[in-house]
Amino acid sequence: MRIVTALLLAGAAAFGAENSFERLHEANQAFDRADYQTAVQGYQALLAQGFESGDLHFNLGNAYFRTASLGSSLFHFRRAWDLRPRDPDLRFNLDYAREKVADQMESRDSLWWRVLGLRGSVSEKEAYHALVLVTFLLLVVSGTALYRRSDWLLWARNGLIGIWAYGAIVVTYQTLLREPFGVVVVSEAKVYSGIGKDNVTLFTLHEGVEFVVADAVGGEWIRIRLSDGKQGWIRTGDAVYEKG
Amino acid sequence: MRARGLSILLFVTRAALGGDVSVTMTADRTQASLDDQIELQVSVQGTRQGGEPELLNAEAFEVQPGGSSSQIQIVNGKVSQNLNFAFVLTPKQPGKFRIGPARVNVGGKSFDSDRIEVTVVKSTANTAGSERLFYVSGEVDNNTPFVGEQVSYTFKFFNRAQLANAQLGLPEFKGFLKEGPDRQKEAEQVVNGVKWHVTELRFALFPMSAGALTIEPVRLAADAILRQRGDPLFDDLFGGGRTRRVTLRSEPVTLTVSPLPSASRPASFTGLVGRFTLSEELGKQALAVGDSSTLTMVLEGDGNLRDFALPLLTSGDFKIYDDQPTFLLTPGPRWKGTKTFKRALVPLKPGALPIPSVELGYFDTQSKSYKVLESRKQVITASGGAGEEGLNHVAATPGGGARKQIEVLGKDLMPIKRTPAALRSDDLRPRERWLLLLACLVCPGIYAGLLFLKRSRDRLSADSGLARRRSAYREFSSRLQGIDANGANGAFFEAAAGLLREYLGNKFNLDGKAITPIDARRKLASHPLSADSIGRIEAFLRECETGQYGGEISSEEGKANQRRVLVSIVSAVEKEARG
């Protein structure tokens, strides 16, 4: 019975995967025939199924761009960028979409990223895997150095310790310090000094402006911070943003 | 109550051993068509211990387990228990079959059920009309296509009852290029006087090789909601009915694919098969040298145009730049593809410049012969002087130098990703994240263990006293076995005293052989030993000397007692030295 159940489950998984490929194919076909709204729905359905891939976000960003939804397009290009940071096509599309934003910001990457020089280098997944690999190598080299005195082993160990420390900082940032980002999706969004429209309007943002979510108290408002340091409260309906 | 409990216990024990076990098998029907499913119930009475039954002689059916249940009943003190297994059988072929027996293994013994004879008939629309509530069909519009010719494959699902949780299993369409399916169509259709709800899916298939190619069956699995034959009003109001999992398969379809004739094949033929039209439109017909005009060519037809590319154009009069072509597929009884090619033409010199025409050879499936499409011959009139270029292309700017700079004339998004890798997760799931972090933490732990081992070995090799101290008790224990209480009197006491001396010497890094009853206190005083222990050591050594040289013969019991004293002294020394 157990074997039969396992076979049935495996069959169901294969069937599900087949359906997913069908759905991807259909969404791509919808994109080809300029039915971008259907393509958006197709890609979103796949994301909702848990296929969190850079290519899907890239395609979704393209489809949103074609439906003149610049904000959503930029949001998904950014998500794709986090997952596939060395993809030149993605870099191009992200830059191209950013050129269309009415409000231009001087700097978008955080100080951490600029200091570490890691933007466009590694994704979170790659950083974690590299850290584990370096840790394992460090264990092998250090363990060998305990029993075999050799200069090159000591050099290798010290070098690996340096790389490990670098990786540990990156992973720490990715895990603990990275703040979720968001993008304005309405043509004009007012930023207030506090929660509620009765507060002072600090400034106005236009579609496609990227920000860091400084505080999401739940409900209808989030506190945002721009790359030039400006802060304020914005209605959640005016933006898409990463949750948590 | 105790008697009843005892009887249950006895029954269960007897059942576990395989006593009074019987197996029965029943089917919900013995006549079925290929689209029906047969529900088998295998009941094992007299035990709850047996495994899943093995269903023999069921090769003509696809067998799926339908769940199991067990029950125990106590009626008037009589205990009965049984196991029930359900199976769903989907016939693979028509004929008469004797299914079974169902074999159950209980306590190492096999028990068989009776067999059931089942008749399976072919499913046809006629029988469907009278009996069945569902059936499917798969058919093509052409059984003898040419290689590359479009074949329209239509899958239809006929039903007269409600369905839920439907899952469609498409075949791989091996040997074909596939387009579709299009959006499903639903309609009512009367077949042999019976009204059916029909759901239809269409595919366009392009055979890739000559010979016999088979389209495997399309599979549809769903929960059928069957009305009970009760009060219809009650059923309608309260949703009376039961569900049954059904699996329907279309018949496989075999095509005989003919190769394309090699005779009269034009040079410009690149594999297009079907019926096609070519139209073109020229943007600006008069322009300045260096300016650009767009030539749009639209190829339409029912062949496979997705991967088709126009032949390159070369001309000494123009610089020609190809844009990314667009492809649109329109579903229908015959799927129609439209591929639009755009070319930017930049005249290099003034004058009336003829645009090179394009020839496209294709195989016309209607006339079964090769034909050639040719674009219209057109002329661009170019005047002297360069102007602004307005096309979305990258072009070399005319200039005076030998090397020309590339000027970007426009920008657009990079195209979408089409690889199946788009469904590979690039994200790090929380559990994976914590596992990787754990792996990072385990490695330092392993290193700490290695370091500890290394340091321990180093200390042992550098400090002989430490090595002696560590091995003192182990050596004492191993040598203690060699002291024979039944042996000679003198030898026993000599060995016992020697063992204690050696132990003390190892333990406190002393010359053990030199410890005598007289100077034992002096030599051991500086070590962490209580006065009581030192006193016992002195006394033991003295007794051993007496036993060895005094001439008194000690009994075996006395020697065994001395041995116990020796062990207790060493145990006390171990404890005190550790503390």
Side-chain angles (χ1 to χ4, degrees):
Chain A
M1 176 66 91
R2 227 178 275 162
I3 294 170
V4 175
T5 309
L7 286 173
L8 283 174
L9 287 173
F15 196 71
E18 186 185 314
N19 280 348
S20 303
F21 284 118
E22 282 292 322
R23 185 167 278 175
L24 175 67
H25 184 59
E26 284 169 11
N28 287 346
Q29 281 188 321
F31 188 96
D32 287 342
R33 63 172 181 269
D35 186 0
Y36 300 117
Q37 208 58 50
T38 305
V40 164
Q41 286 166 6
Y43 295 134
Q44 277 184 330
L46 285 167
L47 285 173
Q49 279 182 30
F51 295 104
E52 189 69 15
S53 86
D55 285 355
L56 266 185
H57 280 288
F58 175 88
N59 288 0
L60 184 54
N62 270 20
Y64 268 126
F65 191 88
R66 299 293 185 196
T67 58
S69 305
L70 180 63
S72 298
S73 171
L74 261 167
F75 176 79
H76 287 283
F77 283 147
R78 273 289 301 269
R79 280 293 299 139
W81 186 244
D82 283 341
L83 300 170
R84 302 286 298 273
R86 291 182 305 282
D87 188 333
D89 289 0
L90 178 55
R91 174 86 254 182
F92 180 89
N93 283 8
L94 182 59
D95 289 343
Y96 183 55
R98 281 174 173 167
E99 285 172 11
K100 307 287 179 190
V101 180
D103 305 319
Q104 295 296 326
M105 297 288 157
E106 282 183 5
S107 164
R108 290 184 176 85
D109 296 338
S110 71
L111 179 66
W112 269 97
W113 281 114
R114 276 180 285 143
V115 170
L116 293 170
L118 279 173
R119 176 59 79 192
S121 300
V122 289
S123 68
E124 183 190 17
K125 191 174 188 174
E126 290 165 339
Y128 269 84
H129 282 110
L131 185 66
V132 171
L133 180 68
V134 172
T135 307
F136 180 72
L137 283 175
L138 191 56
L139 170 67
V140 171
V141 171
S142 303
T144 310
L146 281 177
Y147 293 92
R148 279 189 61 183
R149 284 281 159 193
S150 156
D151 282 345
W152 74 265
L153 272 175
L154 292 177
W155 278 109
R157 188 191 66 185
N158 295 341
L160 284 168
I161 288 173
I163 297 170
W164 189 91
Y166 183 71
I169 290 170
V170 174
V171 165
T172 306
Y173 173 76
Q174 296 268 25
T175 308
L176 303 174
L177 305 175
R178 182 179 175 277
E179 292 171 302
F181 75 91
V183 182
V184 175
V185 293
V186 292
S187 57
E188 193 173 273
K190 287 181 178 171
V191 182
Y192 297 89
S193 59
I195 295 176
K197 288 183 175 177
D198 297 336
N199 290 284
V200 175
T201 304
L202 298 176
F203 48 92
T204 302
L205 295 176
H206 297 93
E207 186 173 17
V209 171
E210 298 162 56
F211 56 80
V212 163
V213 181
D215 194 359
V217 291
E220 292 187 357
W221 296 84
I222 51 172
R223 187 161 65 88
I224 66 168
R225 190 172 64 245
L226 302 180
S227 57
D228 61 3
K230 290 191 184 77
Q231 294 194 33
W233 292 85
I234 188 173
R235 285 167 59 89
T236 53
D238 292 348
V240 284
Y241 58 99
E242 289 182 313
K243 308 282 191 296
Chain B
M1 181 60 84
R2 281 182 64 188
R4 179 175 295 179
L6 189 61
S7 73
I8 292 171
L9 182 64
L10 286 174
F11 185 89
V12 170
T13 309
R14 193 176 55 181
L17 293 173
D20 295 344
V21 174
S22 65
V23 183
T24 56
M25 180 166 69
T26 56
D28 68 333
R29 60 177 71 192
T30 54
Q31 295 266 342
S33 75
L34 278 175
D35 288 342
D36 287 329
Q37 289 187 320
I38 301 166
E39 286 185 17
L40 274 186
Q41 293 287 341
V42 178
S43 180
V44 185
Q45 288 91 17
T47 184
R48 294 173 66 212
Q49 305 278 319
E52 187 186 353
E54 183 186 2
L55 194 59
L56 304 177
N57 301 313
E59 293 78 14
F61 299 85
E62 189 178 296
V63 182
Q64 290 178 315
S68 63
S69 64
S70 65
Q71 60 186 76
I72 184 165
Q73 283 186 322
I74 303 170
V75 180
N76 295 329
K78 190 179 175 186
V79 182
S80 64
Q81 53 186 334
N82 56 55
L83 277 167
N84 296 308
F85 296 90
F87 294 93
V88 179
L89 273 59
T90 309
K92 294 179 187 171
Q93 60 199 66
K96 274 193 173 180
F97 306 100
R98 277 173 64 79
I99 303 171
R103 180 166 294 166
V104 180
N105 191 298
V106 180
K109 286 185 182 173
S110 292
F111 298 89
D112 287 356
S113 70
D114 290 334
R115 300 176 71 175
I116 294 176
E117 186 166 294
V118 172
T119 305
V120 178
V121 296
K122 275 190 173 182
S123 53
T124 64
N126 291 335
T127 58
S130 59
E131 288 287 329
R132 290 179 305 163
L133 297 172
F134 318 94
Y135 72 99
V136 295
S137 72
E139 53 194 39
V140 294
D141 63 343
N142 180 7
N143 279 307
T144 56
F146 284 96
V147 172
E149 181 181 358
Q150 184 187 135
V151 176
S152 180
Y153 177 73
T154 308
F155 171 77
K156 287 183 179 176
F157 166 55
F158 296 79
N159 70 303
R160 292 194 292 154
Q162 265 185 288
L163 283 180
N165 303 324
Q167 287 183 312
L168 186 68
L170 295 177
E172 287 183 33
F173 293 105
K174 274 184 188 164
F176 297 91
L177 289 171
K178 185 198 80 173
E179 294 286 1
D182 62 347
R183 288 182 193 282
Q184 68 180 40
K185 290 175 186 160
E186 298 188 26
E188 302 292 331
Q189 187 177 337
V190 176
V191 180
N192 293 324
V194 179
K195 192 174 177 185
W196 291 89
H197 181 79
V198 185
T199 308
E200 184 179 296
L201 287 176
R202 280 195 180 154
F203 302 84
L205 304 177
F206 301 93
M208 293 190 289
S209 60
L213 288 180
T214 301
I215 302 170
E216 298 297 326
V218 177
R219 189 166 62 90
L220 180 73
D223 290 328
I225 301 166
L226 305 171
R227 296 280 179 194
Q228 305 280 26
R229 291 175 191 265
D231 183 349
L233 178 62
F234 183 87
D235 287 349
D236 286 343
L237 284 174
F238 300 105
R242 63 190 175 89
T243 61
R244 194 183 80 186
R245 191 71 180 166
V246 292
T247 304
L248 308 170
R249 280 181 199 74
S250 62
E251 291 284 332
V253 181
T254 301
L255 308 183
T256 306
V257 183
S258 305
L260 295 173
S262 52
S264 312
R265 186 178 289 178
S268 58
F269 176 73
T270 56
L272 283 182
V273 179
R275 308 207 70 203
F276 299 94
T277 59
L278 178 67
S279 60
E280 64 272 327
E281 186 187 355
L282 181 62
K284 288 182 277 186
Q285 296 185 2
L287 66 166
V289 171
D291 203 350
S292 67
S293 177
T294 304
L295 175 65
T296 305
M297 304 180 79
V298 181
L299 182 62
E300 280 184 318
D302 58 5
N304 178 27
L305 284 175
R306 183 176 290 280
D307 303 318
F308 176 76
L310 271 186
L312 288 174
L313 279 189
T314 52
S315 167
D317 298 333
F318 298 97
K319 281 278 185 188
I320 302 172
Y321 305 99
D322 283 354
D323 198 358
Q324 187 73 22
T326 60
F327 177 65
L328 182 67
L329 195 64
T330 311
R334 300 285 292 170
W335 292 54
K336 194 173 168 187
T338 305
K339 198 150 192 175
T340 304
F341 303 88
K342 290 196 172 186
R343 284 174 160 165
L345 307 174
V346 182
L348 298 175
K349 57 187 178 186
L353 308 174
I355 300 171
S357 65
V358 174
E359 280 192 359
L360 296 177
Y362 70 99
F363 183 76
D364 188 332
T365 49
Q366 199 168 50
S367 64
K368 295 184 174 37
S369 63
Y370 289 101
K371 291 187 174 174
V372 175
L373 288 172
E374 191 174 0
S375 61
R376 279 187 290 128
K377 290 185 170 52
Q378 298 190 74
V379 173
I380 283 182
T381 307
S383 55
E388 289 292 317
E389 297 182 7
L391 268 185
N392 290 345
H393 292 279
V394 177
T397 50
R403 293 168 65 88
K404 295 172 182 173
Q405 276 194 333
I406 296 194
E407 183 185 355
V408 177
L409 303 174
K411 278 173 87 173
D412 199 357
L413 291 178
M414 299 304 283
I416 59 170
K417 313 273 184 182
R418 296 176 185 282
T419 60
L423 295 182
R424 185 188 59 203
S425 179
D426 297 320
D427 199 18
L428 200 59
R429 296 173 195 282
R431 200 170 65 174
E432 194 182 353
R433 182 182 292 124
W434 288 115
L435 277 175
L436 290 170
L437 282 177
L438 187 66
C440 287
L441 291 175
V442 165
C443 287
I446 294 172
Y447 179 75
L450 287 173
L451 192 62
F452 177 75
L453 277 177
K454 175 75 169 46
R455 292 215 168 143
S456 296
R457 278 191 190 181
D458 288 349
R459 269 169 57 202
L460 283 175
S461 61
D463 185 350
S464 62
L466 179 64
R468 288 181 71 192
R469 194 158 56 241
R470 289 231 173 131
S471 64
Y473 187 76
R474 195 171 56 243
E475 283 188 19
F476 169 78
S477 298
S478 69
R479 288 194 54 194
L480 183 65
Q481 311 299 324
I483 295 180
D484 185 8
N486 300 327
N489 203 52
F492 170 78
F493 283 108
E494 184 184 3
L499 186 55
L500 180 60
R501 284 192 188 100
E502 188 180 328
Y503 168 75
L504 291 171
N506 286 341
K507 193 71 189 176
F508 301 116
N509 201 23
L510 301 169
D511 180 5
K513 288 177 184 169
I515 300 174
T516 64
I518 299 163
D519 61 2
R521 182 170 296 279
R522 182 176 56 80
K523 287 186 175 174
L524 297 175
S526 59
H527 296 285
L529 285 176
S530 65
D532 179 48
S533 291
I534 293 174
R536 288 177 70 196
I537 291 167
E538 278 177 334
F540 184 84
L541 292 175
R542 196 165 289 124
E543 282 172 24
C544 283
E545 279 188 358
T546 306
Q548 192 177 351
Y549 304 112
E552 188 181 333
I553 304 298
S554 192
S555 66
E556 285 182 12
E557 192 182 336
K559 285 189 272 186
N561 191 45
Q562 277 296 92
R563 189 174 149 148
R564 279 195 290 276
V565 170
L566 173 60
V567 172
S568 79
I569 288 170
V570 170
S571 299
V573 170
E574 279 290 308
K575 204 177 286 179
E576 288 170 14
R578 212 181 300 140

